[in-house]
Each structure stands twice: as C-alpha cells, then as structure tokens.
Amino acid sequence: MKAMISFSNRLMQRYMPDPFLLVIVLTFFVIGLAMVMTDSTPVQILEYWGGGFWNLLEFSMQMVLIVVTGHVMASSPFFKKLLGNLARVPKSPGQSIILVTFVALIACWINWGFGLIIGALFAKEIAKKVDGVDYRLLIASAYSGFIIWSGGLSSSIALTIATPGHFTEKLIGVVPTSETLFSTFNATIVIGLIILVPIINRYMMPPKEQAFFIDRKLLEDAEDIQAGTVEHIEMTPADRLENSKILSLFIGILGLSFLGFYIASNGLSINLNIVNFLFLFIGIILHKTPKQFLGAVTSSVKSASGIIIQFPFYAGLMGIVTASGLAGILSNAFISISNEDTFLMFTLWSAGLVNFFVPSGGGQWAVQGPVMLEAAQNLGVSLPKTAMAVAWGDAWTNMIQPFYALPALAIAGLKAKDIMGYGLVIMFITGFFISAAFYFL
C-alpha cells in the first residue's frame, strides 16, 4: 500500500497539469479521436465544439453559487462555531481522516452538491484544530465522499428514469427508485463504500516525516466578517438599510417559507437549485445584515474562478463527443466483448471512460443510456441495473477527474495534483469492489 501510494503521488505531482491545462489537452485529444474514429470532418468537429461551448451555463452558475453560498454560510459566526466544535471531536490524525471521510460520504449520499462543500469546509476546519494531520490527504478524503453520489438521493440517472416522460421511457419504462437507489444491490455497494473508503483513506496516511502540513494562518478567512452593525456618527437612510437586521430577517424568512412549501409539495426531492436556495437564505439570516452578507459574498467569489473559466471547455468536449457519435462508438466497443455475465461490469467501465469527456451524469446518460439499454435488452440483462452501472461508472472515475473537485480545491487552496494521487488509489480499489458487485450481484 505504501509503495502504491508513493508511486501514485509522484505520478500525479509530476504529470498532473493544472485543471485548465488538462481540459485543453483533453480537447485536442478528443478532437483527434473524433477525426480518427468517426466520419466527422474537421469543420464539423469545430462546429460541434463551438456549438456545445455554452451548453453548461446553467450548471456552471449552479456550481459557482454552491461554492459562494457554501462559503458565505460557513463564514457566519454560527457555522464557524458549529464546525469548530465538531472539528474538536477527533483526537488524532487517523480519527480526523476517518471522520472527514464518513461525513463527506453521508453528505454526498444526501446530496452531492451539499456534500462537496460541507466535506471540504469540515476538512479545512479540522486542519485548524488537529495537529499532525496531512492536509492534502484530509482534503482528498473529503472529496472521496463524492464517489457515492450516484447511488444516493441526488442520483441524476436514477431520478431521471423514475420520472414519467423521460427520454428512454420507451426502452425502459418508468423505473421506481425501489429498483435502483433502494434496491438490494445498490444498498450493498453504498454500505460497502461507507465501510471501505474511510479504511482506504486511513491506511493512506503517510509517515510523519513525509506528511504535508499547512500553516494554519493560511487557513484563516481573508476577511473576517464580524457580527453586529457598523457604527456611524451619522447614518444615512442608505446606511440604515445596509445595516438592517430586520430587512435580512424578513427576506430570509421569505426564502425559508418557500423551502417549506417546496418540501411539503415535493417531499425530500432535493436538487442543486434547492441546495443553493437553502445555503443562500440561511447565509442571509446568519450574517444578520445585508452589509455583512455582501462582505462575505465578496470574499467568497474568488473561490469560484476555476469553475467560471473551465466548465465551458468541458461543455465543448461534450459537444464533440455527443454530436460526433464518439461516445456511442466507445460504448459499442465494450458491448462487442460482453456477454450476459460481463455486460454490467463492462458497462461500468465504459461509463468510467466516457466520464472523462462527458463529466455530467445527466449528460452522460443522454449520450450512453440508449446504447446500453438496447444492448441490455438484446442480452436479457436487467435494465435498472444497466442504468445504475452507467451511474456508478460516472461516479467512480470522478476520483481522478478534476471537474467536480474544483469547488473543494477552491475552498482548500490546493491544486488538483495535490489530491489526485490519493484519488488514483481510491479509484482503483473502489473500482475493483464496484466491478465485483456488478459481476456477482
């Protein structure tokens, strides 16, 4: 294990570029694949790339907001105290790694956006409190919880096929979550990962002389937003509005009232917009005044810079892979070597490969779902399990795909290469476990 971790970290530290450079490299790589493996002309590929470039604008804004609103909420005095108290629970580096991993896994099972932010913020808070814990592994442990999201309550594929009118309904029908998320085979994978991932992370702890420690002063907020109003000798009407606790309270209550109405109407069907809505209005209430809230927003926005500039390039990648038919070609390559016993495992692997180029669960299902479902029907393989194999494949290789790691990296102040060495080990070990589950179950 130590040799594998050492090799993995050296490999990523040496060869893992900045995520922005990585997406540029992937862009040229996919262009080359499309030219060789499809009948698309260079001009068509250029059109696919440019035409898809802005297709993730809504998702990009959602991710920007989840980073900003998560930061804002965590910078409030209440959450600083809450996370600080929870961070005092572990008494050793090993306990810290296990607790961060467990919290991140449970939070990502509830909702992946919530889990990404809470896990990173909690890890950062523990780094302020616990001596001797490797900071890079701590953040990697927080991100490792993301592996479970596709088997959890916010699984885009499972929720899509449970919705009447979905685009694959003619092939698969409407599949209730009892056959996907709450099935025995999915519960086995989820429970297995909740046990396995904390153990993996704990055993990846480096010797003290090789551990990476960070100056705790660097973990403090750049701008500490203090509670209370700003005192003025003579306050103008505008100043009074900016420092009005009543105004923040009323708009906060309005937002939370909508959330109550939404949950009463839809149950716990939580999506990314609802998570952002919750974070936003809790942040407004907890910062007490509009001025303090806007100050917290200003200091948080810089954390989202990587998302703003990189996500359009991934949208361009998706445009090439989907419009050129490249995703279907890659999927069919795995299908051609499958039989009824190996099909689900090869579906998982093919989805893991496609995930590098289409890092979106919903987008990947739109591209790969119809191909895999038709093949599953021909082989007589369970269609709900096929859908979940695509879902788990999408989640599995995220451990070395920095697309979703950007929010956690922004909060932690680290680069992708700092945590992806650990992610590579997690990907291989959990990949073996998930593959075995789909083969034997």
Side-chain angles (χ1 to χ4, degrees):
M1 173 69 85
K2 289 182 179 179
M4 180 169 59
I5 294 166
S6 178
F7 171 77
S8 178
N9 279 328
R10 288 200 310 272
L11 183 69
M12 290 298 176
Q13 286 287 335
R14 187 173 180 83
Y15 295 106
M16 183 73 176
D18 180 88
F20 178 64
L21 297 177
L22 176 62
V23 74
I24 291 176
V25 171
L26 282 175
T27 298
F28 287 111
F29 178 70
V30 169
I31 289 173
L33 279 182
M35 291 178 66
V36 172
M37 300 180 68
T38 74
D39 57 4
S40 302
T41 66
V43 172
Q44 287 175 322
I45 293 172
L46 182 64
E47 290 176 344
Y48 301 152
W49 179 69
F53 208 76
W54 303 115
N55 286 346
L56 286 180
L57 279 181
E58 179 184 359
F59 182 63
S60 299
M61 189 60 182
Q62 288 172 328
M63 292 299 288
V64 167
L65 282 174
I66 202 165
V67 171
V68 172
T69 57
H71 250 296
V72 167
M73 186 175 69
S75 68
S76 68
F78 174 82
F79 266 92
K80 281 186 174 180
K81 185 176 181 180
L82 179 64
L83 289 175
N85 289 338
L86 188 58
R88 292 189 179 92
V89 172
K91 304 302 181 184
S92 67
Q95 292 178 12
S96 300
I97 296 299
I98 290 173
L99 182 60
V100 163
T101 308
F102 181 76
V103 168
L105 284 163
I106 298 301
C108 284
W109 183 81
I110 294 171
N111 181 273
W112 67 264
F114 175 75
L116 277 178
I117 299 303
I118 291 299
L121 291 172
F122 183 45
K124 188 175 177 180
E125 199 62 36
I126 279 185
K128 298 177 184 178
K129 300 287 191 299
V130 180
D131 294 324
V133 62
D134 186 288
Y135 186 60
R136 292 182 298 196
L137 178 56
L138 194 64
I139 300 302
S141 299
Y143 182 60
S144 69
F146 188 54
I147 197 171
I148 210 169
W149 83 273
S150 63
L153 301 181
S154 60
S155 173
S156 55
I157 293 176
L159 296 179
T160 294
I161 63 177
T163 303
H166 66 88
F167 69 93
T168 55
E169 185 174 358
K170 290 183 179 180
L171 283 171
I172 196 173
V174 176
V175 182
T177 53
S178 60
E179 296 182 25
T180 53
L181 299 182
F182 302 109
S183 63
T184 301
F185 81 91
N186 190 68
T188 301
I189 296 173
V190 168
I191 294 170
L193 290 175
I194 289 175
I195 297 170
L196 180 62
V197 176
I199 294 173
I200 297 172
N201 291 338
R202 171 62 181 82
Y203 277 95
M204 285 197 296
M205 285 180 56
K208 188 173 182 179
E209 61 274 11
Q210 297 177 12
F212 177 86
F213 305 120
I214 190 167
D215 186 347
R216 287 175 177 168
K217 293 180 181 179
L218 299 176
L219 299 176
E220 298 298 330
D221 294 331
E223 182 179 347
D224 190 14
I225 310 298
Q226 298 292 337
T229 58
V230 178
E231 297 294 337
H232 292 276
I233 296 175
E234 183 177 352
M235 294 184 72
T236 66
D239 291 330
R240 291 190 181 94
L241 282 176
E242 289 176 355
N243 292 281
S244 172
K245 293 182 179 180
I246 294 177
L247 190 61
S248 287
L249 181 61
F250 279 0
I251 192 64
I253 290 174
L254 184 66
L256 295 183
S257 297
F258 168 77
L259 284 175
F261 172 78
Y262 175 88
I263 292 173
S265 303
N266 301 278
L268 293 176
S269 178
I270 300 173
N271 56 42
L272 204 53
N273 287 334
I274 293 301
V275 172
N276 277 327
F277 203 90
L278 176 66
F279 283 7
L280 173 63
F281 285 96
I282 288 180
I284 289 173
I285 292 174
L286 293 180
H287 280 286
K288 297 184 179 179
T289 71
K291 187 178 183 67
Q292 291 176 38
F293 171 74
L294 291 175
V297 170
T298 300
S299 64
S300 301
V301 166
K302 61 183 179 181
S303 300
S305 59
I307 295 170
I308 293 170
I309 202 63
Q310 291 175 43
F311 276 31
F313 283 89
Y314 278 106
L317 271 179
M318 289 175 60
I320 298 172
V321 171
T322 56
S324 70
L326 183 59
I329 292 172
L330 294 174
S331 299
N332 283 319
F334 282 90
I335 291 172
S336 66
I337 59 174
S338 300
N339 56 42
E340 62 272 16
D341 296 320
T342 61
F343 175 76
L344 291 174
M345 185 176 67
F346 282 133
T347 298
L348 174 81
W349 293 358
S350 68
L353 177 61
V354 172
N355 179 53
F356 285 104
F357 313 122
V358 188
S360 164
Q364 184 166 344
W365 180 244
V367 175
Q368 202 174 5
V371 177
M372 291 306 185
L373 290 176
E374 186 175 350
Q377 280 184 326
N378 293 334
L379 291 171
V381 177
S382 166
L383 297 181
K385 283 188 178 181
T386 300
M388 290 309 295
V390 176
W392 278 107
D394 169 72
W396 164 50
T397 51
N398 277 330
M399 293 298 96
I400 58 169
Q401 163 57 275
F403 182 81
Y404 286 105
L406 290 175
L409 293 171
I411 290 170
L414 293 177
K415 297 181 179 179
K417 64 182 181 181
D418 293 325
I419 69 169
M420 289 301 166
Y422 296 113
L424 184 61
V425 175
I426 295 169
M427 187 191 76
F428 275 118
I429 297 176
T430 58
F432 180 82
F433 168 74
I434 299 170
S435 298
F438 275 101
Y439 184 81
F440 291 108
L441 297 179

